[in-house]
Amino acid sequence: MAKEYKLEVEKRDSTKKSDLKQYRKEGKIPGVYYSYDSKESINFLVSQSEINTALKLEASIFAINVGGENKNVLFKAVQYHPVTEQIIHIDLYGVNMKKAVTIKVPLEMVGDAIGIKEEGGILNQVSQDIEIRCLPLDIPSVIEVNIESLSIGDSILANAISLDEKLELISSEDMLIVSVTVPMKEIEPEIEEEL
């Protein structure tokens, strides 16, 4: 069950680069709010500390007050600075709590694969997340994938992940999630013996 967290945001008027820089200096992150039921977007600011708290909570749905109205929103996109990894921009998407949304949810590998523990294989996690469709309040913070039974040469595809009945798989059914492979052998160069 998704948690809901109240996010304090304020409307911003400027979209100028110099102003955006100034906002960030003051510890405020610029963002854009748009919604399923409206063509127009609203520019807002949210404090860095608010966002950090929100992201730690693993909440999926946030309650915000935009232009005097209370809205339920999802984090649609979060942009990070390539060097400092600070958040520099956020897109919030207003949702209808009674309508299903399509969203990517991170995957977490659970258990120790036989192929690694006993056969010396290597785990290759190809997909970090999976796309599902469900009601906003049913969005899981993470989807677990049990890898215990994987031997060398085995793999798990998206359609093999056990999803709660409230969740519908949107990613391709044959999308590769994880596999166990033979480690690459390093070939040692043969040294010719001197006579």
Side-chain angles (χ1 to χ4, degrees), residues 117-157:
K117 216 167 41 178
E118 295 172 14
E119 300 166 359
I122 292 175
L123 190 73
N124 292 317
Q125 186 178 343
V126 181
S127 308
Q128 302 304 318
D129 50 37
I130 192 170
E131 199 164 25
I132 56 157
R133 189 171 171 77
C134 63
L135 287 172
L137 278 177
D138 293 329
I139 298 170
S141 55
V142 67
I143 289 174
E144 293 186 345
V145 180
N146 188 318
I147 58 168
E148 284 176 4
S149 61
L150 291 185
S151 293
I152 285 182
D154 289 348
S155 57
I156 293 177
L157 303 181

Side-chain angles (χ1 to χ4, degrees), residues 97-115:
M97 299 304 275
K98 296 184 178 67
K99 281 192 177 160
V101 290
T102 300
I103 188 167
K104 284 187 171 167
V105 176
L107 293 168
E108 189 179 310
M109 304 298 124
V110 180
D112 294 321
I114 298 170

Side-chain angles (χ1 to χ4, degrees), residues 64-128:
I64 63 167
N65 188 299
V66 185
E69 287 180 60
N70 290 319
K71 307 274 188 191
N72 290 305
V73 298
L74 289 173
F75 275 29
K76 198 69 175 168
V78 181
Q79 288 171 18
Y80 294 89
H81 188 284
V83 180
T84 63
E85 292 188 3
Q86 288 277 56
I87 296 171
I88 53 173
H89 192 274
I90 285 175
D91 284 353
L92 292 181
Y93 178 66
V95 294
N96 178 341
M97 299 304 275
K98 296 184 178 67
K99 281 192 177 160
V101 290
T102 300
I103 188 167
K104 284 187 171 167
V105 176
L107 293 168
E108 189 179 310
M109 304 298 124
V110 180
D112 294 321
I114 298 170
I116 295 166
K117 216 167 41 178
E118 295 172 14
E119 300 166 359
I122 292 175
L123 190 73
N124 292 317
Q125 186 178 343
V126 181
S127 308
Q128 302 304 318

